Every structure is written in structure tokens, then in C-alpha cells.
Amino acid sequence: MMQFFHISSIIESNHLLDTELILNLMKTKINNFTKIGIFIAISGFSLSISSCSADTNTHHRAYITNQGEHTVSVIDTGTNKVIHTINVGKAPVGIAVASRLNRAYVSNVESQDISVIDTQNNTLVNRIRVNGAPVGLAISPDEKTLYAADWFNNRVIAIGTNSTHTVRELSIGDAPAGLVVSPNNRTLYITNRDSNDIAVIDTETFTIKQRIKVGKHPFGIALSKTGKLLASVNVQDDTISIINTESNVIENMKVGYHPYCAAFSADEKTLYVTNTQDDSVTVLDIANKNTLTTINVGSTPEGISIDDTNHRAYIANWGSNNVSVIDTKTNQLLTTIKTGEKSRAFGQFILSPTIGN
């Protein structure tokens, strides 16, 4: 019954999954009693990664998962227009982008796989089959490892992005969701929603180094550019836990109703937090520990990423099927971009241009 609850409430109270998924995942769980595994299924595609070449596009791009129509919308952040719509697996949720590999990875909860998009031509090239429910994704800064949080089996999976595709897995906590990797590639942080903690993983030994207790139902997670500040989004407490990763000091700050995801500004002075039940974004002043402003956005805002070069924050709105764009210099809403049904974009979804790799 507990596993059933995990899947039913994978998006808290907002987005219940269908009965077919629940039955499929329960069947998978039974099979996993005898053998828990992962296999990579390649649907007629080569899994080899082509060498990176110069990208003539100087604009950043936002890759937005649309859970309700099984697609990804690609937004050119220079024009704020959708330039491609890509069919992926069933019920896409998480996203992670790798600029040097020219890849975007998409977790599909209902089809239990990870879609791989070639970002040079925005086509689906591979899929990675997972026996479980991949939710959060993160790519290591060196782009050698893709991490996936398997919500159903309470584990994290590490998949090598090179030609050997080495797979490791680790049991971590109850209902793992958001993931982020330190700038030096050595530490992986994972929010465990039903354990109310963050698991700190040594990526070399793939073992748990520490557990950090945070607020109730941590889901989204964010790490500052230097890796000194870590933010846990505590859904049921309506708070953010900001952790100094050097001193382990924790500061809790109040935000809006039912917060979900967060993103730090490049200068690490502010934190942007989506509030799903307030239809807003809270902007926190980290040093002074107060709220700078609250910005009204679309309905049920979830995923958020910041284009630091152009000073823009992009917010995927699950309820209104669009993306809100905020000017991070003025903290004003600039525009709204129509995307697909039930836009989620859980993870880091802004792809920077690659110049002369």
C-alpha cells in the first residue's frame, strides 16, 4: 500500500497518475523482489555519442516537458518562441541537458524510460529503459554521468554517458525526487520526499556520506553556482531550507503555498521559488533572509531554470500549459509562452550554446 501511495502522490496532490501506470509499476515491483535491475533498450538507434561540434546558434534553449501530451517543447530564449515539439515517452516529467554532448535527457514516468534528444537537430535518438519510475534527472558537470531518481524503487541510478554505459544503483530513501551534482562532480544531493531528508552521495564510491534533515516533503532541489549553497524545497512546510555545504548551517525561510522547485541567481544573492498553489514565484534575498518580492505567473508553476546570460527566469506552468518569463534584473513578468499540455520541466532545462567545442 505504501508503494501505491508513492506512485499516486508522485506529484503531491496535484497530478495523480493513471491506473494503468500503477498496475504496471506494482507488477514491476513484484518482479524486482527477485531481481532489481536496469537495462538499456535501444529502439533501432545507435547509443554512441557523436563528437561535439560548433553550434552556430547563439541563443540559449529551454526544453520543457509536457506531461499531458508526451512531448517536449523547445523554446528559443532569444525570441521566446517554441521552435520544435518533440514526441518522447509517456508522461515526461524530469529533464537534464548536456551542452557539450548536445543531449537532453527526459524521464518518462509511465513508460518507465528516459528519452535522449539530440539537441543539434532536436530529434529523439535513443531511449534508456528503466525498471521503475524515473522522476528527477541530473547530469554531472563533466557530462560523464546521468543520474536518475527512481521514485518507485527508492533508489538512484547512475548511467555512464560514454560508449560503455556503465550502470550503478544505490538505495537512498523514500520517494527520491530532485537531484543535483556539485561543481567538482564529487557529490550528489538527492531529496527524499517521504524520508524528509537530503541524501549526500559520494559519487566515486557511490555511497551515502550523510543525511541532512530538512522540512516536510522535500521535492525540488537547487545548488548555487559555486556549490556553497544548497536549497531544499519543502512542499508541505511552505519553506525553503538553505544549507551551507561548507559549514552545514541550515536556514529555513518561509515562501508561498505548496512550493515545488527553486533556482539560484548566478551571483548567489537571490533564490527563485515556484509556489504551485499560489500561482506565484517568491524571490528570496538570501543574505538578509527575507522576501524581495512575489511575482504572479501562470497556473500551478513547477519547474524553473534561469538563463543567466540574458537575465531571464523560465517557469513551466502545469495548470495553464505555458511558460512564464521573468526579467531577473527587474523581477517583472515579461511574457508568457504557449507550450504543451501539463508542462512540468522538473530539473535544469536551459541549454547554453556551445561555441567551438
mmCIF file of all heavy atoms in Angstrom, residues 3 6 150-156 170-177 190-199 201 208 211:
data_model
loop_
_atom_site.group_PDB
_atom_site.id
_atom_site.type_symbol
_atom_site.label_atom_id
_atom_site.label_comp_id
_atom_site.label_asym_id
_atom_site.label_seq_id
_atom_site.Cartn_x
_atom_site.Cartn_y
_atom_site.Cartn_z
ATOM 1 N N GLN A 3 3.805 1.631 -1.437
ATOM 2 C CA GLN A 3 4.302 1.885 -2.781
ATOM 3 C C GLN A 3 3.194 2.459 -3.663
ATOM 4 O O GLN A 3 3.428 3.317 -4.494
ATOM 5 C CB GLN A 3 4.855 0.592 -3.391
ATOM 6 C CG GLN A 3 6.128 0.090 -2.720
ATOM 7 C CD GLN A 3 7.278 1.062 -2.883
ATOM 8 O OE1 GLN A 3 7.243 1.939 -3.726
ATOM 9 N NE2 GLN A 3 8.284 0.927 -2.047
ATOM 10 N N HIS A 6 3.014 6.076 -2.950
ATOM 11 C CA HIS A 6 4.128 6.802 -3.560
ATOM 12 C C HIS A 6 3.801 7.171 -5.001
ATOM 13 O O HIS A 6 4.001 8.292 -5.433
ATOM 14 C CB HIS A 6 5.393 5.929 -3.553
ATOM 15 C CG HIS A 6 6.017 5.840 -2.203
ATOM 16 N ND1 HIS A 6 7.183 5.144 -1.982
ATOM 17 C CD2 HIS A 6 5.649 6.333 -1.007
ATOM 18 C CE1 HIS A 6 7.500 5.222 -0.708
ATOM 19 N NE2 HIS A 6 6.582 5.942 -0.094
ATOM 20 N N ASP A 150 14.796 7.057 -9.017
ATOM 21 C CA ASP A 150 13.735 6.072 -9.227
ATOM 22 C C ASP A 150 12.785 6.119 -8.036
ATOM 23 O O ASP A 150 13.032 5.528 -6.986
ATOM 24 C CB ASP A 150 14.356 4.678 -9.382
ATOM 25 C CG ASP A 150 13.315 3.589 -9.620
ATOM 26 O OD1 ASP A 150 12.099 3.894 -9.601
ATOM 27 O OD2 ASP A 150 13.717 2.427 -9.817
ATOM 28 N N TRP A 151 11.698 6.833 -8.221
ATOM 29 C CA TRP A 151 10.730 7.092 -7.161
ATOM 30 C C TRP A 151 10.122 5.789 -6.621
ATOM 31 O O TRP A 151 9.927 5.624 -5.431
ATOM 32 C CB TRP A 151 9.637 7.979 -7.757
ATOM 33 C CG TRP A 151 8.461 8.286 -6.913
ATOM 34 C CD1 TRP A 151 7.396 7.483 -6.635
ATOM 35 C CD2 TRP A 151 8.211 9.523 -6.234
ATOM 36 N NE1 TRP A 151 6.488 8.140 -5.846
ATOM 37 C CE2 TRP A 151 6.964 9.399 -5.586
ATOM 38 C CE3 TRP A 151 8.899 10.731 -6.141
ATOM 39 C CZ2 TRP A 151 6.402 10.424 -4.837
ATOM 40 C CZ3 TRP A 151 8.335 11.747 -5.393
ATOM 41 C CH2 TRP A 151 7.102 11.593 -4.754
ATOM 42 N N PHE A 152 9.847 4.866 -7.501
ATOM 43 C CA PHE A 152 9.132 3.652 -7.110
ATOM 44 C C PHE A 152 10.005 2.702 -6.293
ATOM 45 O O PHE A 152 9.554 2.112 -5.317
ATOM 46 C CB PHE A 152 8.611 2.936 -8.346
ATOM 47 C CG PHE A 152 7.712 1.770 -8.032
ATOM 48 C CD1 PHE A 152 6.420 1.979 -7.574
ATOM 49 C CD2 PHE A 152 8.150 0.471 -8.187
ATOM 50 C CE1 PHE A 152 5.597 0.905 -7.273
ATOM 51 C CE2 PHE A 152 7.333 -0.604 -7.886
ATOM 52 C CZ PHE A 152 6.051 -0.390 -7.441
ATOM 53 N N ASN A 153 11.270 2.550 -6.697
ATOM 54 C CA ASN A 153 12.161 1.591 -6.041
ATOM 55 C C ASN A 153 13.081 2.228 -5.009
ATOM 56 O O ASN A 153 13.999 1.569 -4.505
ATOM 57 C CB ASN A 153 12.989 0.843 -7.090
ATOM 58 C CG ASN A 153 12.140 -0.080 -7.937
ATOM 59 O OD1 ASN A 153 11.375 -0.876 -7.429
ATOM 60 N ND2 ASN A 153 12.263 0.053 -9.249
ATOM 61 N N ASN A 154 12.861 3.524 -4.720
ATOM 62 C CA ASN A 154 13.624 4.216 -3.680
ATOM 63 C C ASN A 154 15.132 4.103 -3.893
ATOM 64 O O ASN A 154 15.893 3.789 -2.975
ATOM 65 C CB ASN A 154 13.255 3.671 -2.292
ATOM 66 C CG ASN A 154 11.804 3.883 -1.955
ATOM 67 O OD1 ASN A 154 11.192 4.875 -2.350
ATOM 68 N ND2 ASN A 154 11.211 2.940 -1.233
ATOM 69 N N ARG A 155 15.562 4.388 -5.099
ATOM 70 C CA ARG A 155 16.978 4.275 -5.436
ATOM 71 C C ARG A 155 17.383 5.373 -6.401
ATOM 72 O O ARG A 155 16.537 6.024 -7.023
ATOM 73 C CB ARG A 155 17.269 2.909 -6.059
ATOM 74 C CG ARG A 155 16.503 2.676 -7.356
ATOM 75 C CD ARG A 155 16.813 1.362 -8.032
ATOM 76 N NE ARG A 155 15.957 1.192 -9.205
ATOM 77 C CZ ARG A 155 16.213 0.343 -10.191
ATOM 78 N NH1 ARG A 155 17.271 -0.435 -10.147
ATOM 79 N NH2 ARG A 155 15.397 0.260 -11.222
ATOM 80 N N VAL A 156 18.684 5.548 -6.535
ATOM 81 C CA VAL A 156 19.225 6.413 -7.560
ATOM 82 C C VAL A 156 20.045 5.541 -8.503
ATOM 83 O O VAL A 156 20.722 4.594 -8.077
ATOM 84 C CB VAL A 156 20.095 7.543 -6.954
ATOM 85 C CG1 VAL A 156 21.291 6.992 -6.194
ATOM 86 C CG2 VAL A 156 20.561 8.504 -8.051
ATOM 87 N N LEU A 170 21.871 2.643 -6.190
ATOM 88 C CA LEU A 170 22.022 2.755 -4.744
ATOM 89 C C LEU A 170 20.669 3.034 -4.108
ATOM 90 O O LEU A 170 19.955 3.945 -4.538
ATOM 91 C CB LEU A 170 23.003 3.887 -4.419
ATOM 92 C CG LEU A 170 23.205 4.245 -2.942
ATOM 93 C CD1 LEU A 170 23.918 3.112 -2.210
ATOM 94 C CD2 LEU A 170 23.989 5.555 -2.814
ATOM 95 N N SER A 171 20.317 2.280 -3.095
ATOM 96 C CA SER A 171 19.108 2.573 -2.310
ATOM 97 C C SER A 171 19.389 3.780 -1.422
ATOM 98 O O SER A 171 20.418 3.831 -0.744
ATOM 99 C CB SER A 171 18.736 1.372 -1.442
ATOM 100 O OG SER A 171 18.397 0.265 -2.250
ATOM 101 N N ILE A 172 18.464 4.763 -1.428
ATOM 102 C CA ILE A 172 18.795 6.019 -0.755
ATOM 103 C C ILE A 172 17.775 6.492 0.271
ATOM 104 O O ILE A 172 18.134 6.997 1.320
ATOM 105 C CB ILE A 172 19.032 7.144 -1.772
ATOM 106 C CG1 ILE A 172 17.899 7.194 -2.787
ATOM 107 C CG2 ILE A 172 20.373 6.997 -2.437
ATOM 108 C CD1 ILE A 172 17.938 8.396 -3.651
ATOM 109 N N GLY A 173 16.488 6.376 0.016
ATOM 110 C CA GLY A 173 15.468 6.908 0.916
ATOM 111 C C GLY A 173 14.102 6.724 0.304
ATOM 112 O O GLY A 173 13.974 6.141 -0.781
ATOM 113 N N ASP A 174 13.074 7.219 0.959
ATOM 114 C CA ASP A 174 11.706 7.018 0.496
ATOM 115 C C ASP A 174 11.284 8.112 -0.475
ATOM 116 O O ASP A 174 11.301 9.293 -0.142
ATOM 117 C CB ASP A 174 10.747 7.004 1.690
ATOM 118 C CG ASP A 174 10.985 5.800 2.598
ATOM 119 O OD1 ASP A 174 11.549 4.798 2.114
ATOM 120 O OD2 ASP A 174 10.615 5.879 3.780
ATOM 121 N N ALA A 175 10.895 7.684 -1.672
ATOM 122 C CA ALA A 175 10.398 8.586 -2.723
ATOM 123 C C ALA A 175 11.406 9.662 -3.098
ATOM 124 O O ALA A 175 11.151 10.859 -2.925
ATOM 125 C CB ALA A 175 9.079 9.213 -2.308
ATOM 126 N N PRO A 176 12.568 9.278 -3.641
ATOM 127 C CA PRO A 176 13.551 10.270 -4.085
ATOM 128 C C PRO A 176 13.012 11.065 -5.267
ATOM 129 O O PRO A 176 12.337 10.519 -6.138
ATOM 130 C CB PRO A 176 14.768 9.427 -4.475
ATOM 131 C CG PRO A 176 14.194 8.093 -4.852
ATOM 132 C CD PRO A 176 13.019 7.901 -3.927
ATOM 133 N N ALA A 177 13.321 12.350 -5.302
ATOM 134 C CA ALA A 177 12.750 13.216 -6.338
ATOM 135 C C ALA A 177 13.821 14.040 -7.039
ATOM 136 O O ALA A 177 14.332 13.681 -8.095
ATOM 137 C CB ALA A 177 11.682 14.113 -5.735
ATOM 138 N N ILE A 190 20.325 14.452 -3.130
ATOM 139 C CA ILE A 190 19.020 13.947 -3.539
ATOM 140 C C ILE A 190 17.987 14.224 -2.449
ATOM 141 O O ILE A 190 18.207 13.894 -1.276
ATOM 142 C CB ILE A 190 19.055 12.426 -3.798
ATOM 143 C CG1 ILE A 190 20.161 12.064 -4.798
ATOM 144 C CG2 ILE A 190 17.711 11.926 -4.303
ATOM 145 C CD1 ILE A 190 20.430 10.582 -4.889
ATOM 146 N N THR A 191 16.858 14.822 -2.826
ATOM 147 C CA THR A 191 15.763 14.997 -1.864
ATOM 148 C C THR A 191 14.939 13.719 -1.796
ATOM 149 O O THR A 191 14.534 13.164 -2.824
ATOM 150 C CB THR A 191 14.844 16.168 -2.266
ATOM 151 O OG1 THR A 191 14.383 15.967 -3.614
ATOM 152 C CG2 THR A 191 15.552 17.490 -2.160
ATOM 153 N N ASN A 192 14.683 13.245 -0.581
ATOM 154 C CA ASN A 192 13.823 12.078 -0.355
ATOM 155 C C ASN A 192 12.525 12.570 0.279
ATOM 156 O O ASN A 192 12.493 12.905 1.462
ATOM 157 C CB ASN A 192 14.521 11.084 0.560
ATOM 158 C CG ASN A 192 15.779 10.524 -0.060
ATOM 159 O OD1 ASN A 192 15.755 10.005 -1.169
ATOM 160 N ND2 ASN A 192 16.897 10.640 0.641
ATOM 161 N N ARG A 193 11.478 12.615 -0.524
ATOM 162 C CA ARG A 193 10.246 13.259 -0.090
ATOM 163 C C ARG A 193 9.657 12.656 1.169
ATOM 164 O O ARG A 193 9.272 13.352 2.101
ATOM 165 C CB ARG A 193 9.208 13.227 -1.216
ATOM 166 C CG ARG A 193 8.049 14.180 -0.977
ATOM 167 C CD ARG A 193 6.808 13.800 -1.747
ATOM 168 N NE ARG A 193 6.228 12.571 -1.200
ATOM 169 C CZ ARG A 193 5.000 12.147 -1.489
ATOM 170 N NH1 ARG A 193 4.251 12.829 -2.323
ATOM 171 N NH2 ARG A 193 4.540 11.031 -0.975
ATOM 172 N N ASP A 194 9.572 11.330 1.210
ATOM 173 C CA ASP A 194 8.903 10.698 2.341
ATOM 174 C C ASP A 194 9.854 10.368 3.492
ATOM 175 O O ASP A 194 9.405 9.887 4.533
ATOM 176 C CB ASP A 194 8.169 9.437 1.879
ATOM 177 C CG ASP A 194 6.983 9.764 0.985
ATOM 178 O OD1 ASP A 194 6.627 10.954 0.892
ATOM 179 O OD2 ASP A 194 6.414 8.841 0.367
ATOM 180 N N SER A 195 11.134 10.629 3.322
ATOM 181 C CA SER A 195 12.092 10.497 4.427
ATOM 182 C C SER A 195 12.397 11.851 5.058
ATOM 183 O O SER A 195 13.072 11.916 6.092
ATOM 184 C CB SER A 195 13.403 9.880 3.933
ATOM 185 O OG SER A 195 13.217 8.606 3.375
ATOM 186 N N ASN A 196 11.931 12.922 4.402
ATOM 187 C CA ASN A 196 12.146 14.289 4.896
ATOM 188 C C ASN A 196 13.628 14.600 5.097
ATOM 189 O O ASN A 196 14.025 15.209 6.092
ATOM 190 C CB ASN A 196 11.380 14.527 6.202
ATOM 191 C CG ASN A 196 9.885 14.361 6.032
ATOM 192 O OD1 ASN A 196 9.321 14.733 5.007
ATOM 193 N ND2 ASN A 196 9.241 13.779 7.028
ATOM 194 N N ASP A 197 14.430 14.173 4.122
ATOM 195 C CA ASP A 197 15.862 14.454 4.222
ATOM 196 C C ASP A 197 16.501 14.570 2.846
ATOM 197 O O ASP A 197 15.860 14.308 1.823
ATOM 198 C CB ASP A 197 16.586 13.391 5.061
ATOM 199 C CG ASP A 197 16.586 11.996 4.443
ATOM 200 O OD1 ASP A 197 16.290 11.862 3.240
ATOM 201 O OD2 ASP A 197 16.875 11.027 5.167
ATOM 202 N N ILE A 198 17.760 14.996 2.859
ATOM 203 C CA ILE A 198 18.587 15.012 1.655
ATOM 204 C C ILE A 198 19.691 13.986 1.848
ATOM 205 O O ILE A 198 20.401 14.004 2.861
ATOM 206 C CB ILE A 198 19.201 16.400 1.411
ATOM 207 C CG1 ILE A 198 18.103 17.417 1.069
ATOM 208 C CG2 ILE A 198 20.238 16.353 0.291
ATOM 209 C CD1 ILE A 198 18.609 18.836 0.936
ATOM 210 N N ALA A 199 19.830 13.075 0.896
ATOM 211 C CA ALA A 199 20.928 12.118 0.926
ATOM 212 C C ALA A 199 22.127 12.744 0.205
ATOM 213 O O ALA A 199 21.991 13.273 -0.899
ATOM 214 C CB ALA A 199 20.526 10.817 0.246
ATOM 215 N N ILE A 201 25.614 11.937 -1.448
ATOM 216 C CA ILE A 201 26.257 10.756 -2.029
ATOM 217 C C ILE A 201 27.665 11.090 -2.508
ATOM 218 O O ILE A 201 27.873 12.093 -3.194
ATOM 219 C CB ILE A 201 25.438 10.220 -3.225
ATOM 220 C CG1 ILE A 201 23.960 10.067 -2.867
ATOM 221 C CG2 ILE A 201 26.035 8.915 -3.753
ATOM 222 C CD1 ILE A 201 23.669 9.115 -1.767
ATOM 223 N N ILE A 208 26.430 6.597 0.604
ATOM 224 C CA ILE A 208 25.835 7.723 1.319
ATOM 225 C C ILE A 208 26.830 8.240 2.352
ATOM 226 O O ILE A 208 27.251 7.514 3.245
ATOM 227 C CB ILE A 208 24.522 7.313 1.999
ATOM 228 C CG1 ILE A 208 23.503 6.838 0.954
ATOM 229 C CG2 ILE A 208 23.947 8.478 2.807
ATOM 230 C CD1 ILE A 208 22.237 6.265 1.545
ATOM 231 N N ARG A 211 23.197 12.300 5.795
ATOM 232 C CA ARG A 211 21.788 12.626 5.583
ATOM 233 C C ARG A 211 21.503 13.949 6.293
ATOM 234 O O ARG A 211 21.872 14.121 7.456
ATOM 235 C CB ARG A 211 20.869 11.529 6.113
ATOM 236 C CG ARG A 211 20.930 10.247 5.298
ATOM 237 C CD ARG A 211 19.853 9.263 5.741
ATOM 238 N NE ARG A 211 19.943 8.019 5.006
ATOM 239 C CZ ARG A 211 19.382 7.807 3.823
ATOM 240 N NH1 ARG A 211 18.682 8.779 3.247
ATOM 241 N NH2 ARG A 211 19.495 6.652 3.218
#
